[in-house]
Amino acid sequence: SPGQEEHSDWQEKVRELAYRGFHLEQLLDFCAELGGQSSPMPDFNPWHSTTNDVVREAVIPLSRYEDGSGGVALATKWNWGEGLRAERLVTHTWSNTFIHLVAALVADADHADDDTSVTYEGFIPVLAEGRFEEVKEKLRPTGALKRVFWVCAFCVNQHASICGSFGAEPKDQAARQKWERGTLNSVTQKPYPLCPCTQPKIYNDTPQACELNKFDDIMAFLSRSQ
């Protein structure tokens, strides 16, 4: 029946998303690339750049097809199109400093499940100073570099949603000011570039195929399939 088909399509998309995880080591290599001489984001500032900055100026360009027809989730590119089931789903805010997000993942991977003494603050200066090999050497003996995370910035296909616009400009003044801040790089205060790809955008008017409305279901799926 149509109802069963819609439910099946929804669950298939949930499973697809749940298998878009990435290894912590891949994230650390990405961070090293951001801070490197050939950075896709030359204005990256580890002490100030937000996750929104990184998505708009690095994640989206790096995950776009060369022919401009669209793109994939960056995690899909990292994994050469192969599925990788997530072990941790991370909730966060895009307005937060990006390196703080990375530090939280590193701290999670660094301690045993019953150890709460390791916190993200200690990793912030190490990561911000670009000492990624030092972090990797610390985590490698325990296998922590292979911990699989799910973060929407990397695991959702931004080319199927936000890449080409900032959404409708609000009419309310306060809301419009917040919207305007979200269109500017937090370091340079210059407008983000918009992606020129031609991939159709899928929002909640096509709920089964949308990738932005399934976070609760992904968490439930990962919990059930442990």
Side-chain angles (χ1 to χ4, degrees):
S1 69
Q4 289 176 326
E5 290 178 3
E6 290 175 0
H7 178 73
S8 176
D9 291 344
W10 180 286
Q11 290 304 120
E12 183 57 35
K13 176 58 75 171
V14 168
R15 187 184 188 283
E16 176 190 338
L17 288 164
Y19 276 79
R20 278 199 206 153
F22 59 86
H23 291 120
L24 178 61
E25 186 168 17
Q26 294 172 307
L27 178 61
L28 293 173
D29 289 343
F30 171 74
C31 292
E33 184 181 4
L34 286 180
Q37 290 185 343
S38 301
S39 173
M41 185 179 172
D43 294 314
F44 176 70
N45 183 322
W47 297 102
H48 299 290
S49 291
T50 66
T51 299
N52 195 31
D53 295 335
V54 172
V55 171
R56 288 289 183 177
E57 301 207 358
V59 171
I60 288 174
L62 288 173
S63 59
R64 183 171 58 235
Y65 296 142
E66 291 184 2
D67 65 3
S69 63
V72 294
L74 189 57
T76 301
K77 183 177 180 180
W78 287 345
N79 294 319
W80 299 92
E82 296 293 325
L84 181 63
R85 182 194 172 280
E87 298 170 336
R88 298 279 200 279
L89 187 148
V90 182
T91 60
H92 63 111
T93 172
W94 283 28
S95 61
N96 194 18
T97 304
F98 176 68
I99 284 296
H100 291 193
L101 169 65
V102 179
L105 272 61
V106 171
D108 177 83
D110 187 46
H111 67 69
D113 289 339
D114 59 351
D115 178 11
T116 59
S117 64
V118 178
T119 61
Y120 81 103
E121 289 97 335
F123 287 104
I124 290 173
V126 180
L127 295 168
E129 292 166 9
R131 293 150 54 192
F132 301 108
E133 289 304 319
E134 180 181 326
V135 174
K136 288 164 71 171
E137 287 306 310
K138 184 179 191 305
L139 299 179
R140 184 169 285 112
T142 64
L145 289 175
K146 296 303 181 184
R147 178 161 291 179
V148 185
F149 290 95
W150 198 100
V151 177
C152 62
F154 304 104
C155 303
V156 165
N157 182 3
Q158 309 300 337
H159 299 280
S161 54
I162 70 164
C163 73
S165 75
F166 303 120
E169 182 175 349
K171 295 180 180 179
D172 175 76
Q173 183 177 359
R176 185 169 64 252
Q177 290 176 343
K178 181 179 179 181
W179 175 88
E180 288 174 348
R181 288 196 299 271
T183 70
L184 302 176
N185 183 298
S186 67
V187 175
T188 66
Q189 292 302 302
K190 295 179 180 179
Y192 295 127
L194 291 177
C195 177
C197 84
T198 58
Q199 182 162 338
K201 310 310 178 196
I202 303 174
Y203 298 110
N204 211 29
D205 54 348
T206 312
Q208 285 76 29
C210 180
E211 297 189 357
L212 306 178
N213 59 356
K214 296 180 172 64
F215 296 166
D216 289 350
D217 295 77
I218 296 168
M219 286 189 282
F221 176 91
L222 293 174
S223 177
R224 290 194 305 267
S225 60
Q226 284 183 342

